Amino acid sequence: MTDTSHDRLLIIDFGSQVTQLIARRLRELNVYCEIHPYQKVTGAFLADFAPKAVILSGGPASVIDDGSPRPPASVFELGVPLLGICYGQQVMMHMLGGKVETGHGTAEFGRAFVTPTADHIPLLDGWFTADDDKEQVWMSHGDHVSEIAPGFQVYGTSPNAPFAITADVARNFYAVQFHPEVHHTPNGAKFYENFVKLAGFSGDWTMGAYREEAIRKIRETVGDAKVICGLSGGVDSSVAAVLIHEAIGDQLTCVFVDHGLLRQGEAEEVVAMFRDEYKMPLIHAEEQELFLGQLDGVSDPETKRKIIGKLFIDVFQKHASAVGGAKFLAQGTLYPDVIESVSFSGGPSVTIKSHHNVGGLPEKMGLKLVEPLRELFKDEVRALGMELGLPKSFIGRHPFPGPGLAIRCPGEITRPKLEILRKADAVYIDQIRKHGLYDDIWQAFVAILPVRTVGVMGDGRTYDFACALRAVTSVDGMTADYYPFSHEFLGETATRIINEVEGINRVTYDITSKPPGTIEWE
Ligand code: XMP
């Protein structure tokens, strides 16, 4: 739990796929909230957390089943507004004396339309805006409430959910069957706005306030000790570094590991910005020989990742130890990384790719962690970066993976191939920027393929590498769609790459979405 002076809202998670979206909707309203799994939320936890309002999330379980998840009964005694969503509604009804039944043709997955009943409550201000007085919502439930609990009234119904919107206004308890947090409930933001308004939140969770509070906390935590920070040049570590530097100045030293797998001009850009502009103590660890040497002849993707991950830790540790006496390690960990998700499958999920980070380092080096972005979502980190004055072009940069170009070079990695890849990538990104598409795309890059193809240039035969262009849209990198470039754009880009990059004579466009593909090629 975070120590914050802001009013806080507690989201009790019952395992819905979209619980994080509730938090996002609330953060957009400048309300501070935290998600905690139901197993952890005991009566004592509730008393300690002292929420100003509580939301019970959706979830896959059935309240009728023995041992199904419950919030502590004391949640109904707190005297604060309560909102139950889907499973949250069912569990409220079940615990407060109503009835929940399973299926029998009333399961609903997808779009539905809710019609208001005669009475109106402030929670529904500005709702039912459509001409025909029906509001589109998103339903996803097998069970349904068949009898509402004493004290509750119905304020909205849908053909399959007669108790779509229910409330006990006297106690400030609200319970709905649909999911107002998802995109497919178009007026959902208004719903949450009304809820936090009636709960009395002032909307004081702004980036300016966050910055001041974070700086105060960093100073309190660190005192006069030294801090080291692994700077990758990505948005998260950059914002963390600038924030910590603002808090403790030169007590912070950044280590930028150059593994020889960076994009064109990347190392120079990062060093110029942090060392020259921000005047931060920065170690530019030039370890290209070491990484490329150990990757020589390696073509298996997981082996590449493991080598890079291990070397990264060794190199970081070596340079960090040279700082002398550092007691803290700063990391750009984000909120989605720390939310403890509710797992019903029980088993470990399959490893698709081993992501590389500096996990395990703090214990090994006897360091404590400073993670000033732990409460933020990615877009909030970007907003904080703007607040801290980082250039917009830097904040809006596409994500770049830790293993760098190694995973965009299927097969063996060689220096000539990396050089070709860097040049092609630079032309591609230049094209995207020139056409004003950069900010519409989550991530775009070139992969150099381990095949040579025959071509004809002028009057001569060529036998050069083929490359693949990749561009995707995504919200969080978990799923992605390929970007629908125009044929003109693709044609122009292919011509430029073949003309400007020696070593490539064929350009393809990767039109695989994720799933079934992944964003990176390895
Ligand atoms: P995939 O390829 O798994 O990538 O669809 C999803 C997102 O994660 C990035 N990525 C990584 N980031 N270390 C990182 O810091 C890694 O090892 C790594 N592998 C993939 C990828 O660029 C995309 O944004």
Side-chain angles (χ1 to χ4, degrees):
M1 199 179 352
T2 297
D3 124 54
T4 174
S5 56
H6 298 276
D7 288 335
R8 40 173 139 208
L9 188 149
L10 173 66
I11 300 168
I12 305 181
D13 184 21
F14 294 103
S16 158
Q17 298 287 328
V18 291
T19 303
Q20 277 203 28
L21 291 180
I22 304 175
R24 295 187 60 107
R25 294 289 92 83
L26 295 169
R27 297 283 185 91
E28 281 160 16
L29 295 165
N30 296 333
V31 167
Y32 182 80
C33 63
E34 288 183 27
I35 301 174
H36 290 279
Y38 74 90
Q39 298 97 323
K40 204 169 118 183
V41 181
T42 57
F45 179 97
L46 272 181
D48 197 34
F49 193 97
K52 200 175 172 74
V54 178
I55 293 180
L56 309 178
S57 87
S62 173
V63 286
I64 308 159
D65 291 345
D66 284 345
S68 56
R70 299 268 182 280
S74 60
V75 77
F76 302 111
E77 311 299 328
L78 288 173
V80 303
L82 213 64
L83 171 63
I85 294 165
C86 197
Y87 183 83
Q89 178 192 44
Q90 295 161 9
V91 88
M92 273 172 82
M93 292 304 160
H94 188 78
M95 291 175 77
L96 294 171
K99 243 192 191 151
V100 175
E101 286 177 11
T102 294
H104 304 304
T106 53
E108 266 184 305
F109 297 95
R111 191 170 295 132
F113 290 89
V114 174
T115 321
T117 54
D119 295 326
H120 179 81
I121 44 173
L123 181 72
L124 302 177
D125 282 353
W127 248 61
F128 301 117
T129 49
D131 292 342
D132 59 1
D133 223 19
K134 279 187 185 143
E135 193 60 39
Q136 183 187 316
V137 298
W138 190 256
M139 296 279 189
S140 179
H141 61 101
D143 292 355
H144 65 277
V145 174
S146 56
E147 200 181 306
I148 47 176
F152 278 79
Q153 255 202 66
V154 183
Y155 295 94
T157 65
S158 82
N160 274 354
F163 304 116
I165 304 175
T166 59
D168 175 345
V169 177
R171 285 194 285 176
N172 252 333
F173 289 173
Y174 303 90
V176 297
Q177 182 58 77
F178 60 92
H179 287 271
E181 60 278 10
V182 304
H183 183 67
H184 299 83
T185 300
N187 212 5
K190 183 72 189 156
F191 188 91
Y192 282 110
E193 186 186 322
N194 290 341
F195 180 68
V196 298
K197 199 163 138 203
L198 66 85
F201 282 89
S202 61
D204 58 354
W205 168 255
T206 61
M207 269 310 139
Y210 182 82
R211 174 188 187 172
E212 280 172 31
E213 194 166 304
I215 287 175
R216 175 182 59 75
K217 282 196 265 177
I218 294 166
R219 287 186 182 139
E220 271 172 25
T221 310
V222 168
D224 57 5
K226 280 189 190 166
V227 179
I228 46 167
C229 174
L231 186 68
S232 67
V235 179
D236 307 341
S237 65
S238 299
V239 171
V242 172
L243 183 67
I244 296 170
H245 190 245
E246 186 162 310
I248 59 168
D250 290 356
Q251 280 168 251
L252 171 73
T253 302
C254 291
V255 181
F256 173 59
V257 177
D258 185 344
H259 47 22
L261 299 160
L262 299 171
R263 290 165 293 188
Q264 189 165 292
E266 191 156 22
E268 295 78 2
E269 209 182 304
V270 170
V271 172
M273 175 144 117
F274 291 94
R275 188 187 278 166
D276 305 340
E277 204 166 308
Y278 280 92
K279 311 275 181 242
M280 278 187 207
L282 174 79
I283 297 171
H284 179 186
E286 299 222 44
E287 300 283 0
Q288 298 92 327
E289 297 301 322
L290 177 69
F291 280 85
L292 297 183
Q294 296 228 359
L295 287 168
D296 194 25
V298 177
S299 53
D300 174 63
E302 275 299 287
T303 314
K304 282 181 188 174
R305 282 177 173 273
K306 295 243 158 70
I307 292 174
I308 296 168
K310 180 184 175 303
L311 283 181
F312 194 92
I313 291 179
D314 291 350
V315 164
F316 184 82
Q317 191 170 5
K318 179 177 94 184
H319 291 278
S321 305
V323 173
K327 293 217 163 45
F328 291 90
L329 174 72
Q331 279 186 345
T333 314
L334 305 191
Y335 193 45
D337 307 328
V338 297
I339 298 174
E340 294 170 58
S341 52
V342 173
S343 162
F344 284 91
S345 67
S349 52
V350 180
T351 302
I352 308 290
K353 301 176 184 184
S354 338
H355 274 225
H356 117 277
N357 56 29
V358 287
L361 250 192
E363 302 87 70
K364 220 168 148 188
M365 297 179 68
L367 295 172
K368 288 186 226 152
L369 281 176
V370 200
E371 298 177 307
L373 311 181
R374 270 179 78 89
E375 286 112 42
L376 304 184
F377 286 103
K378 188 87 175 180
D379 51 344
E380 293 174 324
V381 172
R382 294 206 165 106
L384 178 62
M386 297 288 280
E387 173 77 30
L388 289 164
L390 274 154
K392 196 164 177 283
S393 58
F394 202 83
I395 288 167
R397 281 190 353 167
H398 293 169
F400 186 63
L405 299 182
I407 58 175
R408 296 177 180 178
C409 187
E412 287 185 24
I413 301 165
T414 64
R415 283 166 201 260
K417 266 167 89 180
L418 287 174
E419 225 18 69
I420 295 170
L421 174 54
R422 276 192 190 100
K423 286 189 183 141
D425 193 74
V427 173
Y428 180 41
I429 298 298
D430 183 56
Q431 275 287 103
I432 289 175
R433 285 198 191 277
K434 277 203 177 120
H435 284 258
L437 303 174
Y438 191 85
D439 293 338
D440 296 339
I441 294 172
W442 161 269
Q443 214 169 354
F445 57 87
V446 174
I448 184 164
L449 306 186
V451 279
R452 283 170 187 256
T453 72
V454 174
V456 51
M457 274 181 101
D459 289 328
R461 176 187 192 266
T462 58
Y463 186 53
D464 284 330
F465 286 109
C467 73
L469 311 181
R470 183 85 166 124
V472 295
T473 54
S474 177
V475 178
D476 50 15
M478 303 292 284
T479 58
D481 290 313
Y482 75 85
Y483 189 77
F485 286 125
S486 67
H487 280 281
E488 290 71 28
F489 174 88
L490 289 170
E492 191 183 302
T493 306
T495 306
R496 270 196 67 190
I497 291 178
I498 292 171
N499 285 343
E500 295 174 35
V501 183
E502 200 178 320
I504 288 191
N505 69 354
R506 194 173 295 263
V507 176
T508 65
Y509 185 47
D510 176 358
I511 53 166
T512 322
S513 291
K514 173 183 179 177
T518 54
I519 295 176
E520 304 288 347
W521 272 52
E522 289 193 335

